Amino acid sequence: YALPELNALAAKHPWLSVVPACSEDPQFAGEHGNVNEVLARYGPWADHDFFVSGSAAMVRTTLRTLTELQVPSIRIKYDSFGDV
């Protein structure tokens, strides 16, 4: 979704990295796994800000992973499409 636009933003802003990921397409050329799994492969994250948005299950799982990775809660904002 909007990968060309995200890559253009990353080209303009050296502090921004875009890591394409897909959880279900084995032919996908980028990272494989759910957001929380891909997130856990990178880091450290303690000095980064996060905005997590998506299904309630995805948001819950990602928030749990961020906590496990010791990201301060003040750096995390979220909304979900359902109850978290």
Side-chain angles (χ1 to χ4, degrees):
Y1 171 74
L3 188 55
E5 291 85 356
L6 290 171
N7 285 332
L9 278 173
K12 290 180 184 177
H13 303 286
W15 50 264
L16 177 62
S17 297
V18 175
V19 179
C22 184
S23 60
E24 296 184 15
D25 182 358
Q27 303 301 316
F28 184 73
E31 289 278 343
H32 290 262
N34 293 326
V35 170
N36 67 302
E37 295 166 339
V38 175
L39 174 68
R41 290 185 211 136
Y42 292 84
W45 298 114
D47 294 331
H48 291 74
D49 295 319
F50 291 84
F51 184 81
V52 183
S53 181
S55 70
M58 187 278 294
V59 170
R60 270 193 309 272
T61 304
T62 303
L63 293 175
R64 187 176 318 118
T65 299
L66 290 170
T67 300
E68 290 168 358
L69 295 171
Q70 300 180 354
V71 173
S73 61
I74 192 76
R75 294 193 164 274
I76 304 168
K77 306 287 186 259
Y78 68 91
D79 70 15
S80 70
F81 307 119
D83 294 328
V84 176

